[in-house]
Amino acid sequence: MRHEAFWTEGADRTSRWLITCDHATNRVPEWLNGGDLGIAAADMARHIAFDVGAAGLARHLGALIGAQVVGSDFSRLVIDPNRGEDDPTLLMRLYDGTVIPANREADAAEKQRRLDRLYRPYHAALDQAAAQHPQRAICAIHSFTPQLRARPPRPWEVAILYSHDDPGLSQMLIERCRAQGWETGDNEPYSGHLSGDSVDRHALAHGRPNVLIEVRNDLIEDEAGQAEWADRLAGVMDGLLDEAGV
């Protein structure tokens, strides 16, 4: 299924897991400045516009573990679905050194238009998918850039991010990843919880088991890397919920 705000795959799959991909694409809808935010194509291909490789990783992982996948279909620079509606970074005007011209003058009415057409339908789709299984668990898939401008390189291959209000399942997954020999971030390269973000809204608020997995994007730039890491992640997720007793 595809909507201007989201896409879904595997709605008939029976796994408890629901795989989400908040930053799946760098698409800018035509009704927004003719589909152009006013930044260079090279910047639209960077992590500032979407999570490079995350959509393919999520799709491959969903197929391997028999889980439904729901992804956004608009750039995080249009409006960020992994932020609460009152978060000041919901509509970014400057990101990792790049000014976003189409956002610089965006007023409250423009923000509401993007919320109504994109952000809210995406979250409604996540609500609906999450409710389809009585014991739903959420697996959020993201990617991170190897290095921000003027910042140190990031050595981690994979990172598990979480809220300190609900660390248990994530800690088990970190142990499993490290047992594979992967350089694994524990709430690194940044904290995994913001009030009102997607995991907070669709997992923590409902008491659903959850993990947020980030893979360094140079490892999943192409389909081969996405398939490889999906296979690896399927292995460490196998039996995780049963072992945790959730």
Side-chain angles (χ1 to χ4, degrees):
M1 176 182 178
R2 187 171 289 275
H3 178 279
E4 77 161 343
F6 64 88
W7 50 267
T8 67
E9 288 186 2
D12 58 345
R13 295 173 185 163
T14 58
S15 172
R16 285 182 62 188
W17 287 110
L18 170 65
I19 297 174
T20 66
C21 191
D22 293 324
H23 301 141
T25 179
N26 60 359
R27 190 182 76 86
V28 180
E30 280 294 319
W31 50 261
L32 202 172
N33 200 39
D36 186 354
L37 293 174
I39 66 175
D43 277 327
M44 286 301 298
R46 291 204 299 135
H47 69 98
I48 65 170
F50 72 126
D51 280 358
V52 175
L57 175 61
R59 285 185 163 110
H60 282 291
L61 182 60
L64 286 172
I65 69 173
Q68 183 177 0
V69 185
V70 181
S72 68
D73 201 13
F74 55 95
S75 172
R76 69 196 304 169
L77 293 180
V78 173
I79 195 160
D80 194 332
N82 196 33
R83 297 292 184 271
E85 291 197 17
D86 60 350
D87 192 301
T89 63
L90 180 70
L91 201 160
M92 294 290 282
R93 292 168 170 80
L94 173 69
Y95 196 168
D96 194 21
T98 297
V99 174
I100 319 302
N103 292 351
R104 189 165 44 192
E105 305 300 327
D107 58 13
E110 175 59 20
K111 177 180 173 181
Q112 284 299 315
R113 181 170 74 138
R114 300 185 197 185
L115 284 167
D116 288 341
R117 292 196 63 166
L118 300 171
Y119 179 103
R120 289 170 181 151
Y122 172 66
H123 283 289
L126 290 184
D127 282 334
Q128 182 180 19
Q132 288 174 357
H133 196 295
Q135 295 180 297
R136 183 63 85 195
I138 305 293
C139 174
I141 295 293
H142 292 261
S143 70
F144 62 93
T145 185
Q147 185 174 14
L148 292 173
R149 289 176 174 173
R151 299 287 183 88
R154 293 165 164 175
W156 307 281
E157 296 170 280
V158 63
I160 309 301
L161 311 185
Y162 55 90
S163 165
H164 288 290
D165 293 332
D166 186 22
L169 196 62
S170 297
Q171 288 298 320
M172 291 180 63
L173 186 56
I174 289 167
E175 291 175 6
R176 286 180 169 213
C177 290
R178 288 178 174 171
Q180 299 297 313
W182 308 338
E183 187 74 20
T184 304
D186 180 341
N187 254 356
E188 294 178 294
Y190 33 76
S191 173
H193 178 67
L194 290 170
S195 180
D197 68 13
S198 282
V199 169
D200 187 36
R201 179 170 179 167
H202 300 287
L204 298 176
H206 300 273
R208 293 176 176 131
N210 62 90
V211 292
L212 191 160
I213 302 172
E214 300 233 12
V215 178
R216 203 177 67 219
N217 67 26
D218 61 316
L219 303 175
I220 54 171
E221 288 177 321
D222 58 24
E223 187 168 359
Q226 293 156 20
E228 177 183 352
W229 274 93
D231 187 61
R232 291 182 177 191
L233 292 174
V236 294
M237 289 176 65
D238 184 39
L240 180 67
L241 295 171
D242 289 340
E243 181 182 343
V246 295

